[in-house]
Amino acid sequence: MRLAGKRVVVTGGARGIGAAMVRTFAAEGAAVAVLDVLAEEAGKLAAEVGGHAVEVDLADVAATRAATQSAVDALGGVDVLVNNAGILRFAPLLDIEPHEWDEVFAVNVRAMLVTTQVAVTSMVAQRAPAFPGDVVGKVVNTASMGGKAGGAGQAHYAASKAAVIGLTRAAAEELGPLGITATCLCPGYVLTEMGAGTRTDADVARWSARSPLGRLGQPEDVARAALFLASPDSDYLTGEALNVAGGMVTH
Ligand SMILES: NC(=O)c1ccc[n+]([C@@H]2O[C@H](COP(=O)([O-])OP(=O)(O)OC[C@H]3O[C@@H](n4cnc5c(N)ncnc54)[C@H](O)[C@@H]3O)[C@@H](O)[C@H]2O)c1
């Protein structure tokens, strides 16, 4: 029970990697609130794990602020914020429209700033660190291998994920003195509904061959790494961008 007594807010927790995180955290004793635009799926999962679901479109700043506060209130406070929601869009660099760029950045990065502002305000009000290194709260963000390695045909996505890594590092520096850590995960290829519409068997074979381990990721691979970052086991890690990419990226 590595999260016994912890209150965790997970964005994008209705399906895919986020749903695996919700189940993993709940199995380790956490009380979990799911923020997602998929109200029905989020509600079902919340009922399954005895948690809470809040419907929100994370592209909407005011709604995101209110939904994060509702989630924190439902849990009676917050110990860990997991910013996992994200969207993937494909377009050649020369064809990306400003509104497409803005859409990806609004969900993938700006929403993280907004949820972090609300959740960290609550963490700070709950308790001050009693000694240097006393961790009173954690923020875990989902970036991507693309944030380090780029990605042809998805420049807006890759740039947004590099921004997540930058946001995480700045947050780590600024929030560390308050006893709050900030880390992010950089998953490689994970078999979820994201990208499923364009993914072929040939793609899966080609991508698998890029991993020394010879396979793609499963949502549970990322959820187990998130559990480490959400738990006290990682209290001396902050500012890190941890790859969960089967060795495809190692920097
Ligand atoms: N699948 C991969 O290969 C992969 C690789 C690297 C990083 N990631 C990242 O992992 C995270 C989870 O991705 P996934 O593969 O589980 O994808 P997914 O599409 O299955 O799940 C994404 C979740 O975010 C929610 N979401 C999206 N836009 C939202 C919005 N505007 N408001 C509220 N909720 C919203 C969705 O409803 C969904 O529940 C994302 O940040 C993604 O960029 C995924």
Side-chain angles (χ1 to χ4, degrees):
M1 293 300 231
R2 288 155 72 188
L3 294 180
K6 300 290 185 194
R7 299 155 298 180
V8 185
V9 174
V10 181
T11 75
R15 71 177 194 196
I17 292 169
M21 289 174 172
V22 168
R23 291 193 175 96
T24 301
F25 297 162
E28 292 286 338
V32 185
V34 179
L35 257 61
D36 209 292
V37 74
L38 298 175
E40 201 182 324
E41 289 87 337
K44 274 188 195 151
L45 183 56
E48 177 191 318
V49 302
H52 307 272
V54 183
E55 181 182 1
V56 64
D57 178 358
L58 293 164
D60 180 332
V61 171
T64 299
R65 209 173 273 137
T68 310
Q69 191 61 57
S70 306
V72 171
D73 292 345
L75 293 170
V78 58
D79 302 293
V80 183
L81 168 67
V82 181
N83 282 311
N84 163 77
I87 53 172
L88 173 64
R89 296 287 183 267
F90 295 105
L93 185 69
L94 302 187
D95 294 341
I96 295 174
E97 297 284 348
H99 71 87
E100 294 172 328
W101 177 274
D102 289 346
E103 180 199 15
V104 170
F105 269 71
V107 176
N108 289 8
V109 196
R110 190 182 64 197
M112 288 193 181
L113 173 69
V114 176
T115 57
T116 299
Q117 288 171 334
V118 174
V120 166
T121 300
S122 178
M123 289 172 188
V124 168
Q126 282 163 193
R127 186 168 81 80
F131 49 84
D134 180 18
V135 174
V136 305
K138 288 175 176 255
V139 179
V140 181
N141 298 327
T142 305
S144 169
M145 174 171 80
K148 292 182 176 179
Q154 47 182 47
H156 35 5
Y157 180 79
S160 76
K161 293 302 189 176
V164 171
I165 296 170
L167 172 67
T168 304
R169 289 180 177 152
E173 290 181 55
E174 202 167 321
L175 303 180
L178 303 173
I180 296 165
T181 64
T183 54
C184 65
L185 293 160
C186 297
Y189 297 103
V190 185
L191 293 166
T192 66
E193 285 175 60
M194 178 173 278
T198 52
R199 189 167 58 218
T200 64
D201 290 347
D203 288 333
V204 171
R206 192 161 39 85
W207 297 338
S208 299
R210 286 179 55 191
S211 164
L213 299 174
R215 69 169 176 91
L216 302 188
Q218 294 294 338
E220 292 71 24
D221 292 312
V222 185
R224 282 191 290 269
L227 171 62
F228 169 62
L229 294 180
S231 80
D233 291 343
S234 62
D235 272 3
Y236 197 51
L237 272 74
T238 195
E240 296 287 341
L242 179 68
N243 302 314
V244 189
M248 292 186 204
V249 171
T250 54
H251 68 280

